[in-house]
Amino acid sequence: MDFVSLNESFTPLQELPSSPLLLHVHEILSAEDDDTKIAMSITDKPDLFSLLLVTTNAKENYWNAHLFYMDQVERHNKEYRYHTFSNNESIHLHNFLSQLFN
């Protein structure tokens, strides 16, 4: 994933239809400092939608991953699941999942 400035980040989001999920993403980005860099990965298929938003700020020394997910039913009902992980939480989750699937 390539990190871009906060101002560059809105381009891929403009292609998505308006929804509560998109509003939530905009709220997160609006709360970020101008020095924040972000990376995004979007999967949009008929049976699922996922958006991974990673925000990082070297000046303030933080890194967060925000995961949004909708299956067909959730999409139809305009609902979604949301999880956020700090850098340390992501490392622990990665280690746990690696052990689980080995």
Side-chain angles (χ1 to χ4, degrees):
M1 281 204 228
D2 294 326
F3 284 86
V4 297
S5 73
L6 202 52
N7 293 336
E8 295 173 277
S9 67
F10 289 97
T11 305
L13 295 175
Q14 292 170 347
E15 300 170 8
L16 300 175
S18 181
S19 68
L21 183 152
L22 191 58
L23 228 93
H24 192 166
V25 172
H26 280 288
E27 287 173 3
I28 291 169
L29 293 175
S30 296
E32 291 293 333
D33 189 71
D34 288 339
D35 295 324
T36 300
K37 299 277 186 194
I38 71 148
M40 255 188 292
S41 176
I42 299 172
T43 301
D44 193 359
K45 297 180 179 178
D47 59 335
L48 73 94
F49 174 89
S50 69
L51 185 148
L52 175 63
L53 170 67
V54 179
T55 57
T56 183
N57 189 312
K59 184 176 163 183
E60 296 182 22
N61 194 30
Y62 72 83
W63 181 103
N64 291 308
H66 306 271
L67 177 61
F68 297 85
Y69 178 87
M70 291 188 290
D71 61 19
Q72 289 175 320
V73 173
E74 291 163 329
R75 183 182 288 205
H76 177 75
N77 293 324
K78 297 188 189 288
E79 298 173 345
Y80 61 92
R81 289 178 249 176
Y82 170 70
H83 305 280
T84 187
F85 304 96
S86 69
N87 188 29
N88 287 338
E89 291 168 329
S90 296
I91 291 168
H92 292 297
L93 181 62
H94 172 76
N95 290 339
F96 172 76
L97 292 174
S98 294
Q99 290 173 7
L100 181 66
F101 294 114
N102 277 341

